[in-house]
Amino acid sequence: MAESLYERIGVDIGRRAKLEDGIAWAARNAVRYVDIQLDYGENAFTRFDDARAATIREACARDGIQLGLHTLSAVNVAEYSPILSEAVDDYLKAYIDIYPRLGAHWIVVHAGYHFTADVKPRMEAGLERLKRIVDYAERKGARLLLENLNKEPEDAEVHYLAHTMEEWAYYYDRIDSPAFALSFTANHAHLLPEGVAGFVDAIPWDRVKEVRLADCFRNGKEIHLPPGQGDFDFPDMFRRIEATGFRGHYMNAFGTLDDMQKARRTMADGARAVLA
């Protein structure tokens, strides 16, 4: 039986809970898709021995939960400095290495960031790194999802890469692998002139496996709000995306776990009329 839209909306645990506690919370709330960041505290990927990893893997299998991993966007995938460059490779490989141990289904990755005067070498470095890491993921049986990140103020020195449609395409047009797909953050598109409609019309939906959600303000600044606190049109977004044939999962990423759980029902109910 096909999953309902409500069932397809997941929750980004991020750093909000210890992974075991987050999985238990998801099971109690019938959440089927969760994201976790493995960079800090008890959730740091160095803290998982075989016994702990097996317990998590078994809990997800028992409760029908698909676990995704989410790398930290502060780690610059576009790094080219000696020593640091090798460290970024090792960091991404560590996420891939823990992927099967936790029974994960995807890893969200990023294209890094530049410092205004070095866009070209940063993009080139990031592309070559992603190619290397995708090759490693292929050999390890992992799947990477490249996320479109958010814009920064025009006068900022530091800017995320792959935040425009053109920058995002620079990477996915040059990487063709079953281990490489896309994670579309709809609220990031809302910050740009093309908006969600422009992104939906332009991106290759056969390669999109996840859609990330939060409220924000049109052409505004990066902020992750619960639905109703910005001006994002969630029903119209669902209408456009579902019309592409997308049947993957959505991922709420804002507020508290309870905020995101409450919003699952609000979103699904709000979309019912436009999807009828």
Side-chain angles (χ1 to χ4, degrees):
M1 181 182 297
E3 292 179 302
S4 67
L5 179 61
Y6 175 76
E7 291 169 326
R8 290 165 56 203
I9 301 174
V11 167
D12 185 349
I13 298 172
R15 295 189 296 269
R16 295 171 178 87
K18 185 177 178 181
L19 180 52
E20 291 90 334
D21 296 338
I23 291 170
W25 176 91
R28 291 194 302 271
N29 288 277
V31 177
R32 297 186 176 187
Y33 300 91
V34 297
D35 244 12
I36 190 74
Q37 189 182 99
L38 300 179
D39 286 76
Y40 182 76
E42 288 298 311
N43 289 338
F45 53 67
T46 53
R47 303 294 296 271
F48 291 85
D49 59 19
D50 289 343
R52 185 182 177 196
T55 298
I56 290 165
R57 189 172 63 248
E58 292 161 5
C60 287
R62 181 188 66 239
D63 296 320
I65 295 169
Q66 290 197 24
L67 174 65
L69 313 180
H70 200 117
T71 61
L72 187 63
S73 63
V75 175
N76 194 359
V77 172
E79 185 58 71
Y80 51 60
S81 298
I83 301 176
L84 292 176
S85 184
E86 289 78 7
V88 176
D89 281 17
D90 290 344
Y91 168 83
L92 293 171
K93 288 178 179 178
Y95 261 87
I96 293 169
D97 288 341
I98 202 169
Y99 178 100
R101 297 175 62 209
L102 296 179
H105 289 256
W106 67 88
I107 305 173
V108 177
V109 297
H110 311 101
Y113 44 88
H114 66 82
F115 295 82
T116 305
D118 62 353
V119 178
K120 186 174 184 291
R122 291 288 181 184
M123 291 182 72
E124 291 172 346
L127 176 61
E128 291 309 307
R129 173 164 292 107
L130 286 171
K131 286 180 177 179
R132 292 195 300 274
I133 297 305
V134 167
D135 180 68
Y136 188 76
E138 280 187 8
R139 288 185 274 121
K140 296 292 185 175
R143 171 179 273 179
L144 309 183
L145 307 183
L146 181 65
E147 181 186 3
N148 61 306
L149 280 173
N150 56 280
K151 75 170 187 179
E152 296 293 346
E154 289 187 11
D155 59 353
E157 180 185 11
V158 180
H159 296 267
Y160 279 121
L161 290 162
H163 78 276
T164 67
M165 290 192 296
E166 294 77 15
E167 284 184 358
W168 199 18
Y170 171 82
Y171 302 93
Y172 67 67
D173 281 346
R174 291 166 172 81
I175 302 176
D176 182 12
S177 166
F180 182 78
L182 303 176
S183 172
F184 173 49
T185 298
N187 43 295
H188 291 168
H190 194 58
L191 304 177
L192 295 172
E194 299 91 340
V196 169
F199 270 77
V200 170
D201 288 345
I203 63 180
W205 279 95
D206 60 318
R207 302 182 71 180
V208 177
K209 305 304 177 185
E210 172 184 77
V211 175
R212 301 182 63 80
L213 304 174
D215 207 343
C216 56
F217 291 96
R218 186 78 178 98
N219 292 314
K221 297 180 180 180
E222 165 73 342
I223 187 170
H224 285 233
L225 300 171
Q229 295 187 17
D231 60 13
F232 192 98
D233 189 338
F234 286 95
D236 184 66
M237 180 273 303
F238 283 118
R239 178 184 64 81
R240 291 178 184 276
I241 290 178
E242 292 293 297
T244 70
F246 175 74
R247 295 298 180 267
H249 69 270
Y250 295 84
M251 187 64 64
N252 284 348
F254 50 81
T256 66
L257 295 179
D258 289 339
D259 288 336
M260 290 185 279
Q261 168 62 3
K262 180 180 178 181
R264 293 175 67 219
R265 179 56 64 194
T266 302
M267 290 172 169
D269 289 348
R272 185 172 294 117
V274 299
L275 297 179

PDB file of all heavy atoms in Angstrom, residues 51 58 63 88 200 231 239 268:
ATOM      1  N   ALA A  51      28.227  -2.573  19.352  1.00  0.00           N
ATOM      2  CA  ALA A  51      27.021  -2.919  20.108  1.00  0.00           C
ATOM      3  C   ALA A  51      25.988  -1.800  20.018  1.00  0.00           C
ATOM      4  O   ALA A  51      24.790  -2.051  19.798  1.00  0.00           O
ATOM      5  CB  ALA A  51      27.376  -3.192  21.560  1.00  0.00           C
ATOM      6  N   GLU A  58      18.824  -2.268  14.777  1.00  0.00           N
ATOM      7  CA  GLU A  58      17.713  -3.176  15.086  1.00  0.00           C
ATOM      8  C   GLU A  58      16.443  -2.410  15.456  1.00  0.00           C
ATOM      9  O   GLU A  58      15.333  -2.817  15.073  1.00  0.00           O
ATOM     10  CB  GLU A  58      18.121  -4.110  16.216  1.00  0.00           C
ATOM     11  CG  GLU A  58      19.210  -5.105  15.802  1.00  0.00           C
ATOM     12  CD  GLU A  58      19.946  -5.711  16.975  1.00  0.00           C
ATOM     13  OE1 GLU A  58      19.548  -5.437  18.140  1.00  0.00           O
ATOM     14  OE2 GLU A  58      20.927  -6.448  16.742  1.00  0.00           O
ATOM     15  N   ASP A  63      10.903  -0.886  14.133  1.00  0.00           N
ATOM     16  CA  ASP A  63       9.848   0.131  14.166  1.00  0.00           C
ATOM     17  C   ASP A  63       9.564   0.753  12.798  1.00  0.00           C
ATOM     18  O   ASP A  63       8.779   1.693  12.692  1.00  0.00           O
ATOM     19  CB  ASP A  63      10.230   1.235  15.160  1.00  0.00           C
ATOM     20  CG  ASP A  63      10.315   0.706  16.588  1.00  0.00           C
ATOM     21  OD1 ASP A  63       9.449  -0.108  16.953  1.00  0.00           O
ATOM     22  OD2 ASP A  63      11.233   1.097  17.324  1.00  0.00           O
ATOM     23  N   VAL A  88      38.875  16.799   5.309  1.00  0.00           N
ATOM     24  CA  VAL A  88      37.491  16.825   4.825  1.00  0.00           C
ATOM     25  C   VAL A  88      37.158  15.503   4.133  1.00  0.00           C
ATOM     26  O   VAL A  88      36.071  14.952   4.323  1.00  0.00           O
ATOM     27  CB  VAL A  88      37.259  18.022   3.880  1.00  0.00           C
ATOM     28  CG1 VAL A  88      35.839  17.976   3.308  1.00  0.00           C
ATOM     29  CG2 VAL A  88      37.466  19.335   4.626  1.00  0.00           C
ATOM     30  N   VAL A 200      11.298  23.883  -9.089  1.00  0.00           N
ATOM     31  CA  VAL A 200      10.547  22.677  -9.429  1.00  0.00           C
ATOM     32  C   VAL A 200      10.547  22.453 -10.938  1.00  0.00           C
ATOM     33  O   VAL A 200      10.663  21.322 -11.416  1.00  0.00           O
ATOM     34  CB  VAL A 200       9.111  22.756  -8.879  1.00  0.00           C
ATOM     35  CG1 VAL A 200       8.253  21.620  -9.445  1.00  0.00           C
ATOM     36  CG2 VAL A 200       9.116  22.686  -7.359  1.00  0.00           C
ATOM     37  N   ASP A 231       5.831  33.117   5.204  1.00  0.00           N
ATOM     38  CA  ASP A 231       4.855  33.246   4.121  1.00  0.00           C
ATOM     39  C   ASP A 231       5.009  32.153   3.064  1.00  0.00           C
ATOM     40  O   ASP A 231       4.577  32.308   1.928  1.00  0.00           O
ATOM     41  CB  ASP A 231       4.923  34.643   3.474  1.00  0.00           C
ATOM     42  CG  ASP A 231       6.287  34.976   2.874  1.00  0.00           C
ATOM     43  OD1 ASP A 231       7.124  34.058   2.719  1.00  0.00           O
ATOM     44  OD2 ASP A 231       6.517  36.158   2.556  1.00  0.00           O
ATOM     45  N   ARG A 239       1.530  20.665  -4.166  1.00  0.00           N
ATOM     46  CA  ARG A 239       0.863  20.481  -5.458  1.00  0.00           C
ATOM     47  C   ARG A 239       1.891  20.396  -6.583  1.00  0.00           C
ATOM     48  O   ARG A 239       1.830  19.500  -7.433  1.00  0.00           O
ATOM     49  CB  ARG A 239      -0.111  21.630  -5.712  1.00  0.00           C
ATOM     50  CG  ARG A 239      -0.823  21.568  -7.066  1.00  0.00           C
ATOM     51  CD  ARG A 239      -1.693  22.793  -7.287  1.00  0.00           C
ATOM     52  NE  ARG A 239      -0.908  24.019  -7.365  1.00  0.00           N
ATOM     53  CZ  ARG A 239      -0.276  24.430  -8.460  1.00  0.00           C
ATOM     54  NH1 ARG A 239      -0.309  23.686  -9.566  1.00  0.00           N
ATOM     55  NH2 ARG A 239       0.402  25.561  -8.456  1.00  0.00           N
ATOM     56  N   ALA A 268      -0.140  17.922   5.931  1.00  0.00           N
ATOM     57  CA  ALA A 268      -0.894  16.937   5.174  1.00  0.00           C
ATOM     58  C   ALA A 268      -2.350  17.371   5.008  1.00  0.00           C
ATOM     59  O   ALA A 268      -2.930  17.242   3.926  1.00  0.00           O
ATOM     60  CB  ALA A 268      -0.818  15.587   5.864  1.00  0.00           C
TER      61      ALA A 268
END
